Amino acid sequence: MPSARAWFPYRKPTDACELFAFAHAGAGSTVFSGLREALSGSCVALVPAVLPGRERRLRDAPHRDLPSLLAEFESMAIADEFSAFTGDYALLGHCSGAIVAFEIARLLEAAPCRGPRLLVVCSCLPPPLIRDTGTSRLPAGELFARTAELGGTPDALLADPEFLEMLERPLRADWELFDGYAHRPGPKLKTPILAVRGVDDPDLPAADLERWRDQTSGGFSTLELAAGHWALADAGAAVLAREIPAVLGEPRG
């Protein structure tokens, strides 16, 4: 069974609030490099998750549905006695990673550990509005073209045949997970939510972003960045790096 170290291999001892971050479909930890750098020196330390089928876990089969991914996460956390989630921490997800982060927040609120201090959801419709996009069933070329349209993956990599061959398995699995997602109504989170969108994102209108409010009984705020769907480009990362510590406020005891 994968360990907490496998899920969070770049985690280091810190007194800061840890921000466990989940990337969009097919992406790995490097997509958060800009945000992690922008947060350096603040009260927040970004810790990217590495999911099965990518980076150090390339040989692991990627999950094609969210329940199996959550089951692996829960088994890992139980075996680790939830030690990664006993201090100050928050969760962040971008696009499909926001749904993963949301469902993990639900799981952790019901677990014998501290709940997250904040859930940051970027460039993602609220759970009840998620629909099957059909992207997971596209031929490889169209799948890569759709991924390129959303941003967040360097053009040079998308032009590299060897990279694309390696990318297709986790990318298609992630889209299957997202396309197959079915929201399960349940108690609202107690965790506050910061919902983020790029002002030029055609897939996420401001009115839909506001509906994340319905998922929490805690605080709720929104942030619009000068960006498209890929909201964590350099300028967006700098703004978000100021906003997250501000929303968190003083570390709790």
Side-chain angles (χ1 to χ4, degrees), residues 148-240:
E149 289 174 4
L150 295 174
T153 305
D155 292 341
L157 290 180
L158 291 172
D160 182 340
E162 291 185 5
F163 173 77
L164 293 181
E165 183 179 356
M166 181 176 64
L167 175 66
E168 184 177 0
R169 184 178 75 146
L171 177 62
R172 193 174 294 280
D174 284 353
W175 276 110
E176 285 183 29
L177 184 152
F178 185 75
D179 284 342
Y181 177 73
H183 175 57
R184 298 170 294 104
K188 291 185 177 183
L189 291 174
K190 299 175 184 177
T191 303
I193 293 177
L194 169 62
V196 182
R197 71 180 287 267
V199 294
D200 297 322
D201 186 349
D203 298 323
L204 181 56
D208 288 347
L209 187 76
E210 281 285 341
R211 292 185 59 181
W212 273 102
R213 183 188 301 272
D214 300 334
Q215 301 304 316
T216 181
S217 60
F220 177 78
S221 56
T222 61
L223 176 66
E224 292 195 332
L225 302 173
H229 183 77
W230 173 237
L232 301 183
D234 293 344
V239 175
L240 192 55

Side-chain angles (χ1 to χ4, degrees), residues 7-195:
W7 273 76
F8 305 111
Y10 307 109
R11 188 174 180 230
K12 298 177 181 179
T14 181
D15 293 327
C17 177
E18 294 182 287
L19 180 62
F20 296 107
F22 299 85
H24 55 273
S29 62
T30 57
V31 300
F32 295 118
S33 296
L35 181 57
R36 180 159 61 173
E37 178 64 25
L39 283 166
S40 64
S42 75
C43 63
V44 179
L46 191 144
V47 182
V50 175
L51 302 188
R54 63 216 74 196
E55 297 181 29
R56 301 183 184 194
R57 305 185 64 186
L58 188 62
R59 294 184 179 181
D60 296 346
H63 292 282
R64 298 181 180 275
D65 61 86
L66 192 54
S68 67
L69 178 65
L70 294 173
E72 181 188 306
F73 179 88
E74 184 173 29
S75 296
M76 172 275 292
I78 290 172
D80 194 46
E81 298 182 340
F82 293 93
S83 64
F85 311 105
T86 55
D88 275 344
Y89 73 95
L91 304 172
L92 178 148
H94 180 265
C95 193
S96 57
I99 292 298
V100 175
F102 167 74
E103 292 291 349
I104 285 177
R106 291 174 118 184
L107 187 156
L108 289 171
E109 282 199 357
C113 64
R114 260 182 170 177
R117 289 185 59 197
L118 179 67
L119 170 63
V120 185
V121 291
C122 302
S123 304
C124 186
L125 289 164
L129 300 186
I130 300 294
R131 298 291 183 269
D132 184 347
T133 67
T135 304
S136 61
R137 299 182 294 279
L138 292 174
E142 294 178 37
L143 176 67
F144 297 138
R146 173 59 177 156
T147 301
E149 289 174 4
L150 295 174
T153 305
D155 292 341
L157 290 180
L158 291 172
D160 182 340
E162 291 185 5
F163 173 77
L164 293 181
E165 183 179 356
M166 181 176 64
L167 175 66
E168 184 177 0
R169 184 178 75 146
L171 177 62
R172 193 174 294 280
D174 284 353
W175 276 110
E176 285 183 29
L177 184 152
F178 185 75
D179 284 342
Y181 177 73
H183 175 57
R184 298 170 294 104
K188 291 185 177 183
L189 291 174
K190 299 175 184 177
T191 303
I193 293 177
L194 169 62

